[in-house]
């Protein structure tokens, strides 16, 4: 319960609250505009200061404004009938000032600020303390399941009871950018449902997002074609690893020969010489054929042919002519004999050259074969090094394929596993809602009854659905969306949370609504909302604080039996003049 809000700022207007309905009025001057940028009456600022004292972020707190951060704001809170006064300033927002003895009675261990001689606890400790006192969270949370991410948190839950600007968009969201898991987990806790189910669903959602990002990166070329399918990668992995093993075996049998290059060059030279012998043999054979043909054709002319020629012309050869003919004949036979002898010598030389070439070729072929047999499976050192480099390259490629294959297996397995997890979690969620039907019925009946009291011409209800994505909380009021219907839906959920958490002793016993909640709401519904808030606060022995402009409050059709002024706080704000606001001065 909130007892008072004060400050050491001299001009600050202290606000003292009581049990039940508390109405903080602000007088609005005719000249003030809807889009005024300067701090005016301070209705929203009061809500902001309370939130600041309840451990809210300093970065967005009005108390940390340059014009205010030198001052300390104080709040008196009551827990189980015992009050504690705390202070916090914009200059040192990480420190919560406390009374040493009082803090110790609540289980807090304050430290002494030697510069100011004040005792304090850290804001983190203060939030854990409030989480324990207001929502039955563990204190401290370190070492418990609540220390993990995606678990219920004090700051998220208190925001449903102290809504600020940005929290009037929809009932289940207390901030414009509140994550889905955050609303699901914290509302489940507040409504008495199993919050560990949306907690587990969020972990599945995170794994799904990682899977999507990885696939998107692969498809979009951000990391290349890292991922494939198991089916298409399997044969590539098998072939790549087989090539690596083959080359590794070849290397194991490889012999390094120091004179490999000389021997390889000798084998090459032998081959060239053998080819030259083969080419020369062709020429020699052609020459031999020609010589043998000439040898056969080389014969002396017959003398009978000469005799026949002379008779044919009718001339008788004289004896001297015949003798000379014999001499010519002998001469010609000598020439032919010498020619044939020369041809025989050339033929023998050619045959000898062919024979020598064949013999030389046989010797060379044997030498070359011996060299090749010796070099088989061997090589120079640089060849061995090149093979090692090739093996390393193939091994890296095979390893990369193997990793891609494993990644593909993981992704396909992960996808299947996530689908199974979602199905199982949805079933758990359905079973939990069925098992906690009585608790859900209380929320449904409370909100349904509130809608009936707020509207005589509309019906509506509270729906909690078990979906694949987690629990969905929706309040629907039939009819058009005019007349501030969405704001009334927020009011109904907040009031239900105030009532239900008080019954289970897991709530703050106070609810604060800024006047912005009722912007655009018909004054009849505002009147009924205040009455419902009062009735709920009275029933649970809690508080319902509303800030509202005095002109609107004066027009509200409240029942005659309700003493309006009894619920109006003594502090009254105004946007008219420099001193009428909460802080007693204006600042941009």
């Amino acid at each position: 319960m909130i007892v008072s809000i004060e400050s050491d700022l001299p001009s600050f207007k202290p606000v003292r609250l009581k049990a039940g309905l508390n109405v903080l009025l602000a007088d609005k001057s005719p000249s003030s505009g809807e889009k005024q940028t300067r701090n005016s009456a301070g209705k929203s600022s009061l809500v902001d200061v309370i939130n600041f004292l309840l451990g809210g972020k300093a970065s967005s707190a009005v108390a940390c404004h340059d014009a205010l951060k030198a001052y300390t704001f104080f709040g008196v809170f009551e827990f189980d009938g015992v009050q504690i006064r705390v202070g916090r300033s914009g200059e040192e927002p990480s420190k919560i000032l406390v009374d040493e003895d009082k803090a110790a009675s609540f289980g807090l261990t304050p430290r002494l600020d030697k510069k100011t001689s004040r005792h304090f606890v850290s804001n983190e400790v203060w939030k854990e303390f409030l989480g324990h006192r207001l929502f039955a969270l563990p204190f401290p949370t370190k070492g418990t399941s609540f220390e993990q991410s995606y678990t219920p948190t004090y700051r998220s839950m208190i925001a449903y009871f102290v809504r600020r600007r940005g929290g009037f968009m929809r009932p289940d969201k207390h901030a414009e950018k509140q994550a889905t898991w955050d609303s699901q987990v914290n509302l489940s806790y507040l409504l008495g449902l199993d919050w560990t189910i949306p907690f587990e669903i969020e972990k599945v959602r995170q794994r799904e997002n990682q899977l999507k990002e990885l696939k998107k990166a692969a498809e979009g070329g951000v990391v290349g074609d890292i991922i494939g399918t198991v089916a298409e990668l399997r044969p590539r992995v098998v072939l790549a690893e087989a090539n690596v093993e083959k080359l590794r075996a070849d290397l194991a049998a490889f012999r390094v020969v120091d004179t490999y290059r000389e021997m390889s060059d000798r084998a090459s030279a032998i081959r060239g010489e053998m080819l030259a012998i083969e080419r020369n043999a062709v020429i020699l054979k052609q020459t031999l054929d020609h010589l043998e043909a000439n040898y056969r054709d080389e014969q002396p002319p017959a003398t009978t042919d000469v005799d026949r020629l002379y008779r044919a012309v009718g001339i008788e050869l004289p004896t001297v002519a015949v003798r000379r003919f014999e001499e010519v004949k002998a001469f010609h036979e000598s020439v032919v004999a010498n020619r044939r002898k020369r041809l025989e010598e050339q033929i023998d030389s050619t045959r000898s050259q062919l024979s020598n070439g064949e013999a030389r070729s046989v010797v060379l072929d044997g030498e070359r074969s011996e060299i090749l047999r010796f070099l088989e499976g061997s090589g120079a050192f640089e060849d061995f090094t090149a093979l090692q480099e090739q093996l390393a390259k193939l091994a890296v490629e095979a390893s990369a394929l193997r990793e891609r294959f494993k990644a593909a297996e993981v992704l396909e397995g992960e996808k299947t596993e996530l689908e199974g997890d979602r199905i199982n979690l949805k079933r758990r969620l359905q079973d939990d809602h069925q098992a906690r039907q009585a608790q859900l019925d209380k929320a449904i009946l409370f909100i349904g009854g509130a809608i009936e009291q707020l509207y005589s011409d509309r019906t509506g209800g509270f729906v909690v659905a078990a979906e694949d994505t987690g629990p969905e909380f929706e309040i629907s009021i039939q009819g058009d969306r005019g007349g501030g219907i969405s704001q009334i839906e927020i009011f109904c959920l907040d009031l239900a949370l105030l009532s239900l958490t008080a019954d289970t002793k897991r709530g703050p016993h106070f609810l604060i609504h800024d006047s912005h909640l009722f912007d655009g709401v018909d004054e009849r519904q505002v009147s009924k909302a205040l009455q419902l808030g009062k009735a709920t606060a009275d029933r649970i022995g809690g508080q319902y604080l509303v800030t509202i402009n005095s002109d609107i409050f004066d027009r509200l059709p409240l029942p005659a039996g309700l003493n309006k002024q009894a619920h109006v706080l003594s502090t009254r704000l105004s946007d008219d003049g420099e001193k009428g606001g909460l802080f007693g001065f204006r600042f941009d």
Side-chain angles (χ1 to χ4, degrees), residues 434-447:
Q434 184 176 2
R436 303 173 194 260
Q437 187 62 51
Q439 188 67 15
L440 281 175
D441 287 349
K442 290 180 181 179
I444 292 170
L445 290 173
F446 185 96
I447 292 173

Side-chain angles (χ1 to χ4, degrees), residues 523-576:
E523 291 176 356
R524 291 171 297 178
Q525 274 69 56
V526 175
S527 173
K528 292 177 181 178
L530 295 185
Q531 295 176 64
L532 279 172
K534 176 183 180 303
T536 302
D538 289 344
R539 185 185 70 80
I540 66 171
Q543 295 169 306
Y544 179 45
L545 171 61
V546 180
T547 67
I548 192 169
N549 288 334
S550 58
D551 56 335
I552 295 177
F553 184 73
D554 291 340
R555 294 197 305 267
L556 294 180
L558 294 167
L562 179 65
N563 185 354
K564 296 170 57 174
Q565 296 306 316
H567 303 288
V568 174
L569 300 180
S570 58
T571 301
R572 195 178 184 107
L573 307 179
S574 172
D575 65 358
D576 187 13

Side-chain angles (χ1 to χ4, degrees), residues 449-456 488 491-492 524-525 528-529 532:
I451 293 172
E452 287 183 4
Q453 294 184 57
L454 289 165
Y455 296 98
S456 59
I488 290 299
F491 168 82
C492 289
R524 291 171 297 178
Q525 274 69 56
K528 292 177 181 178
L532 279 172

Side-chain angles (χ1 to χ4, degrees), residues 53-230:
L53 289 169
L54 290 172
K57 286 184 178 180
S59 58
S60 58
V62 67
C64 294
H65 190 280
D66 288 342
L68 299 173
K69 66 181 182 179
Y71 301 100
T72 302
F73 294 87
F74 299 94
V76 178
F77 301 97
E78 183 177 306
F79 304 106
D80 298 327
V82 181
Q83 294 184 1
I84 183 172
R85 187 173 186 263
V86 300
R88 192 182 183 194
S89 71
E91 281 192 338
E92 293 186 300
S94 63
K95 297 179 179 180
I96 303 296
L97 304 179
V98 294
D99 176 83
E100 182 182 16
D101 295 334
K102 187 67 70 174
S105 68
F106 281 104
L108 295 169
T109 306
R111 290 180 287 170
L112 178 65
D113 187 333
K114 295 181 179 179
K115 291 190 299 183
T116 63
S117 298
R118 290 181 169 183
H119 287 86
F120 70 93
V121 295
S122 71
N123 189 51
E124 294 304 312
V125 170
W126 175 239
K127 287 189 295 184
E128 288 194 356
F129 169 78
L130 291 175
H132 175 65
R133 280 289 176 171
L134 301 182
F135 298 106
L137 295 176
F139 177 61
T141 59
K142 188 174 183 179
T144 71
S145 60
F146 289 86
E147 191 180 15
Q148 302 180 54
S149 300
Y150 316 125
T151 57
T153 63
Y154 156 72
R155 280 304 309 166
S156 187
M157 288 189 286
I158 196 63
Y160 287 103
F161 299 88
V162 187
R163 283 195 189 246
R164 298 187 299 150
R165 286 195 176 188
F168 303 123
M169 306 293 291
R170 46 188 286 185
D172 60 327
K173 299 281 189 176
H174 59 63
E176 185 176 357
K177 296 182 179 181
Q178 184 184 8
T180 299
W181 72 264
D182 190 87
S183 61
Q184 290 177 338
V185 168
N186 287 286
L187 280 177
S188 293
Y189 183 90
L190 291 172
L191 291 170
L193 305 176
D194 186 353
W195 61 267
T196 64
I197 300 174
F199 163 78
E200 294 292 343
I201 290 175
E202 176 56 22
K203 291 198 289 187
V204 170
R205 186 183 293 119
Q206 292 295 321
R207 288 161 56 198
E208 288 174 338
N209 289 339
Q210 292 172 357
L211 189 63
K212 289 178 183 176
E213 288 301 318
L214 190 56
K215 287 185 175 180
K216 186 190 298 182
E219 293 170 359
V222 177
V223 291
D225 55 340
I226 289 179
I227 310 296
T229 64
V230 170

